Short mmCIF file of all heavy atoms in Angstrom, two decimals:
data_model
loop_
_atom_site.label_atom_id
_atom_site.label_comp_id
_atom_site.label_asym_id
_atom_site.label_seq_id
_atom_site.Cartn_x
_atom_site.Cartn_y
_atom_site.Cartn_z
N ALA A 164 101.49 100.05 112.52
CA ALA A 164 102.35 98.97 112.89
C ALA A 164 103.77 99.19 112.33
O ALA A 164 104.72 98.49 112.73
CB ALA A 164 101.85 97.65 112.34
N LEU A 268 103.48 93.57 112.56
CA LEU A 268 102.75 93.84 113.80
C LEU A 268 103.63 94.68 114.74
O LEU A 268 104.87 94.53 114.75
CB LEU A 268 102.43 92.53 114.50
CG LEU A 268 101.31 91.72 113.79
CD1 LEU A 268 101.28 90.33 114.38
CD2 LEU A 268 99.96 92.36 113.93
N ASP A 269 102.95 95.53 115.49
CA ASP A 269 103.64 96.30 116.53
C ASP A 269 103.87 95.42 117.73
O ASP A 269 102.88 95.00 118.36
CB ASP A 269 102.76 97.56 116.86
CG ASP A 269 103.44 98.43 117.92
OD1 ASP A 269 104.37 97.99 118.61
OD2 ASP A 269 103.00 99.61 117.99
N SER A 270 105.14 95.12 118.08
CA SER A 270 105.38 94.17 119.13
C SER A 270 105.10 94.72 120.52
O SER A 270 105.13 93.98 121.50
CB SER A 270 106.85 93.66 119.07
OG SER A 270 107.76 94.81 119.21
N ALA A 271 104.70 95.95 120.59
CA ALA A 271 104.28 96.62 121.87
C ALA A 271 102.76 96.55 122.04
O ALA A 271 102.23 96.94 123.07
CB ALA A 271 104.75 98.01 121.98
N GLU A 272 102.06 96.01 121.02
CA GLU A 272 100.59 95.94 121.05
C GLU A 272 100.10 94.52 121.09
O GLU A 272 100.80 93.59 120.69
CB GLU A 272 100.01 96.61 119.77
CG GLU A 272 100.31 98.13 119.69
CD GLU A 272 99.66 98.99 120.71
OE1 GLU A 272 98.55 98.54 121.19
OE2 GLU A 272 100.15 100.08 121.00
N ASP A 273 98.89 94.31 121.59
CA ASP A 273 98.27 92.99 121.72
C ASP A 273 97.96 92.47 120.29
O ASP A 273 97.19 93.14 119.54
CB ASP A 273 96.99 93.10 122.51
CG ASP A 273 96.35 91.74 122.72
OD1 ASP A 273 96.88 90.71 122.24
OD2 ASP A 273 95.28 91.70 123.36
N PHE A 296 106.49 89.83 110.79
CA PHE A 296 107.49 90.71 111.35
C PHE A 296 107.01 91.43 112.59
O PHE A 296 106.04 92.14 112.56
CB PHE A 296 107.99 91.75 110.36
CG PHE A 296 108.77 91.19 109.19
CD1 PHE A 296 109.12 91.99 108.10
CD2 PHE A 296 109.28 89.90 109.23
CE1 PHE A 296 109.93 91.51 107.04
CE2 PHE A 296 110.04 89.35 108.21
CZ PHE A 296 110.39 90.15 107.12
N ALA A 297 107.69 91.17 113.74
CA ALA A 297 107.40 91.79 114.97
C ALA A 297 108.26 93.05 115.03
O ALA A 297 109.42 93.06 115.39
CB ALA A 297 107.76 90.88 116.18
N ASN A 298 107.59 94.15 114.66
CA ASN A 298 108.28 95.44 114.49
C ASN A 298 108.31 96.21 115.86
O ASN A 298 107.66 95.85 116.81
CB ASN A 298 107.51 96.30 113.46
CG ASN A 298 108.37 97.50 113.03
OD1 ASN A 298 109.63 97.49 113.11
ND2 ASN A 298 107.70 98.52 112.51
N LYS A 299 109.12 97.25 115.88
CA LYS A 299 109.25 98.15 117.03
C LYS A 299 109.87 97.47 118.29
O LYS A 299 109.48 97.76 119.42
CB LYS A 299 107.94 98.84 117.39
CG LYS A 299 107.28 99.55 116.19
CD LYS A 299 106.09 100.33 116.63
CE LYS A 299 105.39 101.00 115.40
NZ LYS A 299 104.22 101.85 115.78
N ILE A 300 110.84 96.60 118.02
CA ILE A 300 111.49 95.95 119.15
C ILE A 300 112.40 96.92 119.94
O ILE A 300 112.93 96.53 121.05
CB ILE A 300 112.35 94.72 118.73
CG1 ILE A 300 113.44 95.18 117.73
CG2 ILE A 300 111.46 93.66 118.11
CD1 ILE A 300 114.43 94.04 117.42
N ASP A 301 112.57 98.12 119.46
CA ASP A 301 113.32 99.12 120.17
C ASP A 301 112.52 99.74 121.30
O ASP A 301 113.11 100.47 122.16
CB ASP A 301 113.77 100.23 119.17
CG ASP A 301 112.63 100.85 118.42
OD1 ASP A 301 111.95 100.07 117.70
OD2 ASP A 301 112.37 102.08 118.56
N LEU A 302 111.22 99.45 121.34
CA LEU A 302 110.37 100.03 122.44
C LEU A 302 110.52 99.17 123.69
O LEU A 302 110.58 97.95 123.61
CB LEU A 302 108.91 100.04 122.00
CG LEU A 302 108.63 100.94 120.77
CD1 LEU A 302 107.12 100.89 120.42
CD2 LEU A 302 109.07 102.35 120.97
N GLU A 304 108.24 98.45 125.72
CA GLU A 304 107.06 97.60 125.95
C GLU A 304 106.98 96.43 124.98
O GLU A 304 106.07 95.60 125.05
CB GLU A 304 105.78 98.44 125.69
CG GLU A 304 105.69 99.68 126.63
CD GLU A 304 106.45 100.89 126.08
OE1 GLU A 304 107.06 100.78 125.02
OE2 GLU A 304 106.41 101.94 126.75
N ALA A 305 107.96 96.27 124.10
CA ALA A 305 107.94 95.20 123.12
C ALA A 305 107.91 93.86 123.76
O ALA A 305 108.68 93.53 124.69
CB ALA A 305 109.13 95.30 122.17
N GLN A 306 107.03 92.94 123.26
CA GLN A 306 106.93 91.56 123.76
C GLN A 306 106.77 90.70 122.51
O GLN A 306 105.69 90.40 122.06
CB GLN A 306 105.77 91.34 124.67
CG GLN A 306 105.83 92.08 125.98
CD GLN A 306 104.73 91.75 126.93
OE1 GLN A 306 104.41 90.60 127.16
NE2 GLN A 306 104.13 92.77 127.50
N ILE A 307 107.88 90.24 121.97
CA ILE A 307 107.90 89.41 120.76
C ILE A 307 107.17 88.10 121.00
O ILE A 307 106.50 87.57 120.13
CB ILE A 307 109.31 89.10 120.32
CG1 ILE A 307 110.03 90.48 120.05
CG2 ILE A 307 109.37 88.22 119.06
CD1 ILE A 307 111.55 90.33 119.92
N ARG A 309 104.55 87.46 122.56
CA ARG A 309 103.03 87.50 122.39
C ARG A 309 102.66 87.24 120.95
O ARG A 309 101.68 86.52 120.64
CB ARG A 309 102.54 88.85 122.79
CG ARG A 309 102.49 89.07 124.29
CD ARG A 309 101.62 90.28 124.68
NE ARG A 309 102.09 91.52 124.01
CZ ARG A 309 101.57 92.69 124.30
NH1 ARG A 309 100.60 92.84 125.17
NH2 ARG A 309 102.04 93.79 123.65
N ILE A 310 103.46 87.76 120.01
CA ILE A 310 103.21 87.53 118.55
C ILE A 310 103.52 86.06 118.22
O ILE A 310 102.78 85.41 117.51
CB ILE A 310 104.02 88.47 117.73
CG1 ILE A 310 103.56 89.93 118.02
CG2 ILE A 310 103.89 88.17 116.24
CD1 ILE A 310 104.38 90.99 117.35
N LEU A 322 112.25 92.87 114.60
CA LEU A 322 113.04 93.89 113.95
C LEU A 322 112.56 95.31 114.45
O LEU A 322 111.46 95.44 115.03
CB LEU A 322 112.87 93.84 112.42
CG LEU A 322 111.55 94.46 111.86
CD1 LEU A 322 111.76 95.00 110.47
CD2 LEU A 322 110.44 93.36 111.85
#
Side-chain angles (χ1 to χ4, degrees):
L268 290 168
D269 183 340
S270 57
E272 299 290 336
D273 183 0
F296 286 172
N298 193 23
K299 305 188 182 183
I300 60 172
D301 54 301
L302 299 180
E304 302 84 359
Q306 295 186 47
I307 301 166
R309 288 195 301 187
I310 296 175
L322 77 150

